[in-house]
Amino acid sequence: MTTYKIALAGNPNTGKSTLFNALTGLKQHTGNWAGKTVEIAKGSFKFLNDNYEIIDLPGTYSLYATSSDEEVARDFILFKKPDVTIVVLDATALERNLNILLQILEITNKVIVCINLIDEAERKGISINDKALADELKVPVIKVSARNKQGFDHLLNTIHKFVHGKIVTKFYSINYSPELEMKISQIEPMIKKIVGNHLPSRWLAVQLLDGNKDLVERLTSHLSHKLKEGQNDHEAKFTFTF
Ligand SMILES: Nc1nc2c(ncn2[C@@H]2O[C@H](COP(=O)(O)OP(=O)(O)O)[C@@H](O)[C@H]2O)c(=O)[nH]1
Ligand SMILES: [Mg+2]
């Protein structure tokens, strides 16, 4: 039985924990992210002969890592490389939720969008064109109500297809200004030489151009740790303490 890793990410109050609880039931526990006071819940469930380990990341409005919550959410997606990151959006405030979605789509190409609180949206007369969003972003978009377990079959089957390679998605490239795009095209190949396909080189290029010093330090320690240990896997440094 293969175990796949799923991360739940999104703004606070979008129903991530409700979805997490509905999927995992009692198979869950909480712990702190290594060296941080940020609490994360971890749980598991089985579906069609596969085992899933699911992490309820702290809710954040961005991934700029200006708070511990944002740093933990970003580092998990970046270094733990979940097989799927489910970005949970609030159907009643979709526009406000798109910022975090785009940021995540620049960091990982393994995204399923889950539009939650669909019951509440329907009650308010809001209808969501999930197909248009899926076409635009080129990732699966599933409408659910975590509270009523509505849309779960669709969600679980999509996760199954995703981890078995039957759905393949790409990074979403935001087109920046010509000046920025030129700089990106100059430094991205150099970054790619160092990180290969392990880390998202275009996103890293943008972060470096943005002067994200914290990330440079993080990467330096990540890469030097990797060299020291002689390992090509990113597990050791970023662990949970339970
Ligand atoms: N109507 C409705 N409320 C929901 C749904 N999912 C979550 N909620 C409610 O939304 C609030 C925030 O949910 P929570 O899971 O704590 O969000 P989190 O901050 O993203 O973990 C709670 O009051 C939930 O009961 C849903 O599908 N429909
Ligand atoms: Mg929560």
Side-chain angles (χ1 to χ4, degrees):
M1 195 182 262
T2 316
T3 298
Y4 297 99
K5 198 158 39 189
I6 301 178
L8 289 181
N11 289 357
N13 273 315
T14 55
K16 289 179 301 305
S17 300
T18 307
L19 181 62
F20 175 84
N21 290 333
L23 289 171
T24 59
L26 294 173
K27 291 199 171 133
Q28 53 169 274
H29 55 302
T30 54
N32 279 335
W33 184 256
K36 301 266 174 210
T37 51
V38 178
E39 197 180 68
I40 316 196
K42 191 174 173 177
S44 65
F45 66 91
K46 288 183 175 53
F47 181 71
L48 297 180
N49 280 328
D50 290 314
N51 196 31
Y52 293 94
E53 185 184 286
I54 180 164
I55 311 287
D56 189 13
L57 291 176
T60 60
Y61 294 101
S62 83
L63 290 182
Y64 296 129
T66 51
S67 69
S68 295
D69 280 1
E70 291 179 10
E71 194 180 334
V72 165
R74 182 201 66 188
D75 283 359
F76 190 90
I77 297 170
L78 198 56
F79 298 121
K80 281 285 193 178
K81 306 211 289 176
D83 297 293
V84 188
T85 296
I86 299 180
V87 184
V88 184
L89 309 180
D90 176 352
T92 68
L94 203 53
E95 205 178 331
R96 200 188 325 142
N97 283 227
L98 294 179
N99 181 30
I100 186 85
L101 172 60
L102 284 181
Q103 289 190 28
I104 292 171
L105 283 169
E106 285 189 299
I107 298 186
T108 171
N109 58 337
K110 296 185 174 175
V111 168
I112 292 176
V113 175
C114 192
I115 303 184
N116 188 32
L117 291 115
I118 209 74
D119 56 315
E120 188 69 13
E122 275 163 14
R123 214 177 51 79
K124 290 185 172 167
I126 300 168
S127 75
I128 304 231
N129 191 340
D130 49 340
K131 299 218 168 33
L133 194 60
D135 284 348
E136 172 66 30
L137 300 174
K138 311 261 185 316
V139 296
V141 176
I142 322 279
K143 295 198 235 185
V144 305
S145 166
R147 188 185 270 178
N148 307 327
K149 296 197 173 190
Q150 185 188 329
F152 274 32
D153 274 358
H154 190 195
L155 177 63
L156 289 167
N157 281 302
T158 305
I159 294 171
H160 178 81
K161 282 188 202 148
F162 202 100
V163 300
H164 287 278
K166 287 176 188 141
I167 298 174
V168 180
T169 52
K170 292 192 289 190
F171 286 96
Y172 188 81
S173 268
I174 293 171
N175 265 320
Y176 294 104
S177 66
E179 295 90 327
L180 199 50
E181 284 296 339
M182 196 168 75
K183 293 253 180 345
I184 293 170
S185 68
Q186 284 168 347
I187 69 169
E188 193 192 342
M190 297 187 241
I191 294 171
K192 206 164 184 100
K193 255 191 207 159
I194 301 170
V195 303
N197 287 323
H198 285 293
L199 296 169
S201 50
R202 182 180 163 89
W203 179 80
L204 286 172
V206 174
Q207 295 301 310
L208 296 188
L209 288 168
D210 196 26
N212 189 340
K213 281 193 195 139
D214 148 76
L215 185 71
V216 177
E217 278 165 27
R218 189 58 142 190
L219 273 178
T220 310
S221 87
H222 176 67
L223 292 170
S224 64
H225 182 262
K226 219 180 96 181
L227 286 176
K228 221 185 307 169
E229 298 293 312
Q231 58 174 20
N232 55 9
D233 133 323
H234 307 273
E235 294 296 314
K237 194 163 193 322
F238 302 93
T239 48
F240 290 102
T241 50
F242 281 98

